[in-house]
Amino acid sequence: MNLHEYQGKELLNSFGVRIQRGIVASTADEAVTAAKQLTEETGTGWHVIKAQVHAGGRGKGGGVKLAKNLDEVKTIADEIIGMNLVTPQTSAEGKKVHQVLIAEDVYYPGDNEPEEYYMSVLLNRGTGKNMIMYSTEGGMDIEQVAEETPHLIFTEEIDPALGLLPFQARRVAFNLGLSGTAFKEMTKFVTALYTAYIKSDSSLFEINPVLKTSDDKILAVDSKVTLDDNALFRHKDLAALRDKREENPIEVEAGELGLNYVDLDGNVGCMVNGAGLAMATMDLIKQAGGEPANFLDVGGTADAARVEAAFNIILKDPNVKAILINIFGGIVRCDRVAQGVIDAYKNIGNINVPIIVRLQGTNADIAKDLIDNSGLDVLSATEFKEAADKVQEVLS
């Protein structure tokens, strides 16, 4: 589950990570009020107006702007709120902006020049250890840094059983070329950041940039926080931060129905039980000359109500030209699934795309007879190759 920048910063701050302070606003008038409050609390004279959407590269799309007075705060906030923000990480349609973060200016003059760094915390699945990835090249796309100057990217791997050790936090600060007060501030920042990552059960923290201010403070100017969905039951307060407006509405509806659904760009809808079989089915569709329109795992209880719900979700996609149902009857009996398909088909009414049903496992022969004798426009199959041939046939 992704958090907005302002939510991520609040989470980081609760664990002692210093952040660029800000107040979220939903209207231009609220933005002006927030700017006045922020000036009173921090003394900032300028304000940064930042669109709050689940996408990176907001500045490139015009979603991050500097306001030098309250009139500019109102004008800029009015321009950004309600716009469809297009960034390198959104579709061509972009994402609608519902809120903006009014943030303090942290690039104030002082004894030293401000410096920007990149830092993220994530799991290295290859080693089974957590990893801090960091670079002196803050403010840039880390992919570009990795391609053009890979020697400027450092990593620090942390054994989950031991946690982040003090010498590792110091090594991060050393590799970033810091000394004196900034060195000490960075070790505190890294330690607090890793603690927040572990205790919030996150799967990703990305701070770009981490800023060393002109007076050697270290703080998070941005924050991208992704929480582990499987651990949200332990964090009811964090689960409540979910913004469904930022998610695919079909995926949200499927989740509420208890279906594991991921929307894709293809033309063949998939209805499968089990994630592994779902992946194999997607490969099967590609081999047959089609493209999977979705990943949909109905789970082990593929009864009529569940199959009907899955049908309705798949048919919301106008690109679907055929539906492949691929069920392995281990715990669930294939004849029950077949009857569920027949009942769901009749309840929905006219389905104007071809349906191929491949049932294998317990009572597969009975299931095939039920499908073949149902009188419905449904093609049955028992083998993978047979299902693939029929997919290819209906697409041609």
Side-chain angles (χ1 to χ4, degrees), residues 156-176:
E156 191 68 42
E157 293 207 344
I158 301 124
D159 188 327
L162 299 176
L164 179 69
L165 300 175
F167 81 89
Q168 294 178 298
R170 292 195 297 270
R171 184 156 58 194
V172 172
F174 177 81
N175 285 338
L176 291 174

Side-chain angles (χ1 to χ4, degrees), residues 310-344:
F311 266 131
N312 285 324
I313 290 294
I314 292 172
L315 292 171
K316 287 179 182 290
D317 185 347
N319 296 320
V320 169
K321 306 303 180 188
I323 298 175
L324 173 58
I325 301 173
N326 191 5
I327 302 291
F328 176 75
I331 298 174
V332 63
R333 284 168 30 193
C334 290
D335 56 321
R336 285 190 176 180
V337 177
Q339 192 60 54
V341 171
I342 294 167
D343 294 344

Side-chain angles (χ1 to χ4, degrees), residues 284 287-288 358 381-392:
L284 176 76
Q287 289 174 5
R358 186 242 179 187
T382 53
E383 301 297 333
F384 243 148
K385 180 67 167 61
E386 183 184 2
D389 290 342
K390 291 187 176 181
V391 169
Q392 192 171 37

Side-chain angles (χ1 to χ4, degrees), residues 85-107:
L85 181 62
V86 179
T87 82
Q89 295 184 17
T90 68
S91 65
E93 292 78 22
K95 287 195 170 187
K96 186 172 182 179
V97 180
H98 299 281
Q99 297 171 304
V100 291
L101 178 64
I102 312 303
E104 64 176 326
D105 174 29
V106 289
Y107 290 83

Side-chain angles (χ1 to χ4, degrees), residues 195-265:
T195 300
Y197 170 81
I198 292 298
K199 292 194 174 180
S200 63
D201 283 317
S202 292
S203 57
L204 172 69
F205 276 1
E206 186 175 52
I207 317 297
N208 190 21
V210 174
L211 179 69
K212 179 180 80 68
T213 64
S214 58
D215 53 356
D216 287 343
K217 293 185 179 74
I218 303 295
L219 54 87
V221 175
D222 194 7
S223 75
K224 178 180 180 181
V225 174
T226 302
L227 304 173
D228 186 345
D229 292 350
N230 296 313
L232 285 177
F233 72 94
R234 290 199 290 252
H235 304 279
K236 304 297 184 184
D237 55 332
L238 298 181
L241 299 178
R242 182 182 180 189
D243 188 350
K244 294 181 181 179
R245 298 173 300 183
E246 293 290 314
E247 301 176 27
N248 183 305
I250 301 178
E251 292 182 3
V252 171
E253 182 181 350
E256 291 172 350
L257 293 170
L259 301 172
N260 296 310
Y261 176 90
V262 178
D263 192 30
L264 300 172
D265 297 328

